[in-house]
């Protein structure tokens, strides 16, 4: 006798239940190299081709520092844009040969710290950053990242000290942005806002779109702390109009 096709008779709820049971069946790979998931990249996005190219090169030469750093940075930028934490694991994987090395190059130490701070491993991240700052006191990202971590931990004095270092290392706009961010959290929002806005105006066309986005987002947050939501929204919209995808900006504006 021919078996009846129950799919034609089941109610919607029953069908969904049966379907979910099938989907929920676990799959245990037998090969450690088996691909379990492919991270999404929009069709036509040149970053997809870049990632594939870098992954191919790194698979042939896993200890190529330049390729590994380029791939780790590319993955980390995807996290910043899309907020997908899976890219963090991919970035760590790119740095596998140096992940536990105490003598890792400065750029690896700083990227390693960035990955750790994303996972809220703040003590470990600061240890890497301290080592990086000792090896290369002029490495800007080491100071900005440590300032950000101290800020999250409400260690504002330490954060301010690290921001002050930036005035001799990078543009006044970014240095003032760092300082103003701290001041706005310690009862000086109006002064911090005015100082950063002035530096943005002075920078003019010399400021890159990425720098403008970062500063406009900081100004929006300061305006929000001052209770001026109209002004805050103006800065958020100015930042969004730059057309740069940034997950933090979108989340802050949504709030």
């Amino acid at each position: 006798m021919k078996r009846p096709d129950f799919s034609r008779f089941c109610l919607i709820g029953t069908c969904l239940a049966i379907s979910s049971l099938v989907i929920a069946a676990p799959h245990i790979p037998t090969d450690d190299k088996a691909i379990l998931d492919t991270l999404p990249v929009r069709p036509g996005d040149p970053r997809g081709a870049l990632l594939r190219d870098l992954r191919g090169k790194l698979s042939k030469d896993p200890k190529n520092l330049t390729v590994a750093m380029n791939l780790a940075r590319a993955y980390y930028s995807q996290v910043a844009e899309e907020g997908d934490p899976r890219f963090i694991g991919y970035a760590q994987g790119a740095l596998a040969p140096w992940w536990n090395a105490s003598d890792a190059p400065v750029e690896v130490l700083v990227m390693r710290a960035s990955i750790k701070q994303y996972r809220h491993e703040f003590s470990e991240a600061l240890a890497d950053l301290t080592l990086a700052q000792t090896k290369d006191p002029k490495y800007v990202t080491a100071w900005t990242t440590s300032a950000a971590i101290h800020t999250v931990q409400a260690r504002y004095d330490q954060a301010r000290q690290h921001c002050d270092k930036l005035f001799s290392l990078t543009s006044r706009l970014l240095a003032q942005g760092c300082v103003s961010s701290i001041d706005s959290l310690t009862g000086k929002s109006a002064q911090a806002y005015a100082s950063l806005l002035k530096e943005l105006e002075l920078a003019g066309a010399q400021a890159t779109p990425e720098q403008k986005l970062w500063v406009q987002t900081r100004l929006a947050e300061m305006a929000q702390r001052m209770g001026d939501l109209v002004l805050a929204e103006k800065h958020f919209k100015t930042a969004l109009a730059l057309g740069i995808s940034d997950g933090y900006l979108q989340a802050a504006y949504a709030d």
Side-chain angles (χ1 to χ4, degrees):
M1 175 183 288
K2 183 179 180 181
R3 295 182 60 187
D5 184 357
F6 288 105
S7 65
R8 296 188 180 183
F9 303 105
C10 61
L11 298 174
I12 293 178
T14 308
C15 289
L16 290 176
I18 294 173
S19 175
S20 64
L21 287 174
V22 174
I23 294 173
H27 168 66
I28 302 176
T30 58
D31 185 352
D32 289 342
K33 296 181 180 180
I35 297 175
L36 302 181
D37 192 12
T38 301
L39 296 182
V41 178
R42 288 184 293 272
D45 190 336
R47 291 173 299 182
L50 173 64
L51 290 173
R52 286 192 296 272
D53 178 61
L54 290 172
R55 284 198 301 265
K57 291 178 179 178
L58 192 62
S59 65
K60 296 177 181 178
D61 187 4
K63 293 187 178 181
N64 187 314
L65 178 61
T66 299
V67 175
M69 282 302 304
N70 286 339
L71 183 57
R73 289 184 180 121
Y75 280 134
Y76 196 81
S77 68
Q78 291 287 97
V79 179
E81 291 182 20
E82 302 178 16
D84 190 334
R86 292 177 293 177
F87 286 108
I88 283 291
Y90 275 54
Q92 178 177 342
L95 301 178
W98 306 275
W99 188 253
N100 295 311
S102 60
D103 60 345
V106 171
E107 57 265 47
V108 172
L109 290 170
V110 175
M111 178 54 67
R112 205 164 73 182
S114 297
I115 293 171
K116 290 176 180 178
Q117 67 86 22
Y118 184 90
R119 298 194 303 229
H120 292 188
E121 298 170 4
F122 296 132
S123 296
E124 295 85 350
L126 286 173
D128 279 342
L129 291 170
T130 299
L131 185 56
Q133 291 159 358
T134 301
K135 288 187 172 185
D136 185 357
K138 295 183 179 181
Y139 202 92
V140 173
T141 312
W143 296 104
T144 57
T145 306
S146 60
I149 293 174
H150 284 307
T151 302
V152 169
Q153 296 183 307
R155 297 173 178 171
Y156 300 125
D157 288 341
Q158 293 95 320
R160 188 65 152 72
Q161 291 171 8
H162 287 210
C163 286
D164 286 338
K165 294 275 187 181
L166 298 175
F167 283 100
S168 61
L169 301 177
T170 186
S171 69
R172 281 195 58 86
L173 177 61
L174 293 184
Q176 186 61 55
C178 187
V179 168
S180 291
S181 294
I182 304 301
D183 288 348
S184 71
L185 293 168
T186 53
K188 305 174 184 176
S189 291
Q191 177 184 335
Y193 175 89
S195 297
L196 183 54
L197 183 61
K198 179 181 178 180
E199 287 298 336
L200 179 61
E201 292 171 347
L202 289 174
Q206 293 182 347
T208 67
E210 289 77 14
Q211 290 172 344
K212 291 178 181 178
L213 181 144
W214 185 78
V215 171
Q216 290 290 349
T217 304
R218 302 287 87 72
L219 289 170
E221 291 178 320
M222 292 175 200
Q224 186 176 0
R225 293 187 189 109
M226 291 187 293
D228 193 335
L229 298 184
V230 174
L231 182 60
E233 185 168 26
K234 175 185 175 183
H235 287 296
F236 277 129
K237 287 185 174 180
T238 300
L240 289 166
L242 293 169
I244 301 172
S245 179
D246 184 87
Y248 182 86
L249 166 62
Q250 293 168 348
Y253 185 40
D255 287 341

PDB file of all heavy atoms in Angstrom, residues 43-44 67 107 147 186 219-220:
ATOM      1  N   PRO A  43      26.029  40.789  -1.594  1.00  0.00           N
ATOM      2  CA  PRO A  43      26.437  40.556  -2.994  1.00  0.00           C
ATOM      3  C   PRO A  43      27.039  41.816  -3.604  1.00  0.00           C
ATOM      4  O   PRO A  43      26.504  42.909  -3.454  1.00  0.00           O
ATOM      5  CB  PRO A  43      25.110  40.181  -3.665  1.00  0.00           C
ATOM      6  CG  PRO A  43      24.260  39.648  -2.563  1.00  0.00           C
ATOM      7  CD  PRO A  43      24.614  40.459  -1.351  1.00  0.00           C
ATOM      8  N   GLY A  44      28.150  41.651  -4.293  1.00  0.00           N
ATOM      9  CA  GLY A  44      28.797  42.791  -4.925  1.00  0.00           C
ATOM     10  C   GLY A  44      29.680  43.602  -4.008  1.00  0.00           C
ATOM     11  O   GLY A  44      30.347  44.548  -4.439  1.00  0.00           O
ATOM     12  N   VAL A  67      49.850  39.861   6.105  1.00  0.00           N
ATOM     13  CA  VAL A  67      48.561  39.306   5.666  1.00  0.00           C
ATOM     14  C   VAL A  67      47.654  39.057   6.868  1.00  0.00           C
ATOM     15  O   VAL A  67      46.466  39.368   6.846  1.00  0.00           O
ATOM     16  CB  VAL A  67      48.772  38.005   4.873  1.00  0.00           C
ATOM     17  CG1 VAL A  67      47.421  37.359   4.532  1.00  0.00           C
ATOM     18  CG2 VAL A  67      49.542  38.291   3.588  1.00  0.00           C
ATOM     19  N   GLU A 107      51.820  45.756  16.693  1.00  0.00           N
ATOM     20  CA  GLU A 107      50.527  45.798  16.027  1.00  0.00           C
ATOM     21  C   GLU A 107      49.647  44.616  16.406  1.00  0.00           C
ATOM     22  O   GLU A 107      48.419  44.745  16.498  1.00  0.00           O
ATOM     23  CB  GLU A 107      50.690  45.876  14.506  1.00  0.00           C
ATOM     24  CG  GLU A 107      51.506  44.734  13.897  1.00  0.00           C
ATOM     25  CD  GLU A 107      52.953  45.080  13.711  1.00  0.00           C
ATOM     26  OE1 GLU A 107      53.556  45.621  14.653  1.00  0.00           O
ATOM     27  OE2 GLU A 107      53.483  44.812  12.604  1.00  0.00           O
ATOM     28  N   ALA A 147      42.629  54.251  26.726  1.00  0.00           N
ATOM     29  CA  ALA A 147      41.760  55.315  27.236  1.00  0.00           C
ATOM     30  C   ALA A 147      40.301  54.874  27.212  1.00  0.00           C
ATOM     31  O   ALA A 147      39.538  55.136  28.157  1.00  0.00           O
ATOM     32  CB  ALA A 147      41.939  56.583  26.407  1.00  0.00           C
ATOM     33  N   THR A 186      32.462  63.852  33.256  1.00  0.00           N
ATOM     34  CA  THR A 186      32.870  64.269  34.602  1.00  0.00           C
ATOM     35  C   THR A 186      32.382  65.684  34.924  1.00  0.00           C
ATOM     36  O   THR A 186      33.099  66.475  35.535  1.00  0.00           O
ATOM     37  CB  THR A 186      34.402  64.185  34.745  1.00  0.00           C
ATOM     38  OG1 THR A 186      35.024  64.926  33.681  1.00  0.00           O
ATOM     39  CG2 THR A 186      34.869  62.747  34.683  1.00  0.00           C
ATOM     40  N   LEU A 219      29.944  64.475  19.590  1.00  0.00           N
ATOM     41  CA  LEU A 219      29.204  65.717  19.829  1.00  0.00           C
ATOM     42  C   LEU A 219      27.729  65.424  20.111  1.00  0.00           C
ATOM     43  O   LEU A 219      27.116  66.071  20.976  1.00  0.00           O
ATOM     44  CB  LEU A 219      29.333  66.646  18.619  1.00  0.00           C
ATOM     45  CG  LEU A 219      30.710  67.291  18.408  1.00  0.00           C
ATOM     46  CD1 LEU A 219      30.767  67.984  17.048  1.00  0.00           C
ATOM     47  CD2 LEU A 219      31.032  68.292  19.516  1.00  0.00           C
ATOM     48  N   ALA A 220      27.176  64.477  19.391  1.00  0.00           N
ATOM     49  CA  ALA A 220      25.776  64.102  19.604  1.00  0.00           C
ATOM     50  C   ALA A 220      25.577  63.568  21.020  1.00  0.00           C
ATOM     51  O   ALA A 220      24.601  63.918  21.703  1.00  0.00           O
ATOM     52  CB  ALA A 220      25.358  63.064  18.572  1.00  0.00           C
TER      53      ALA A 220
END
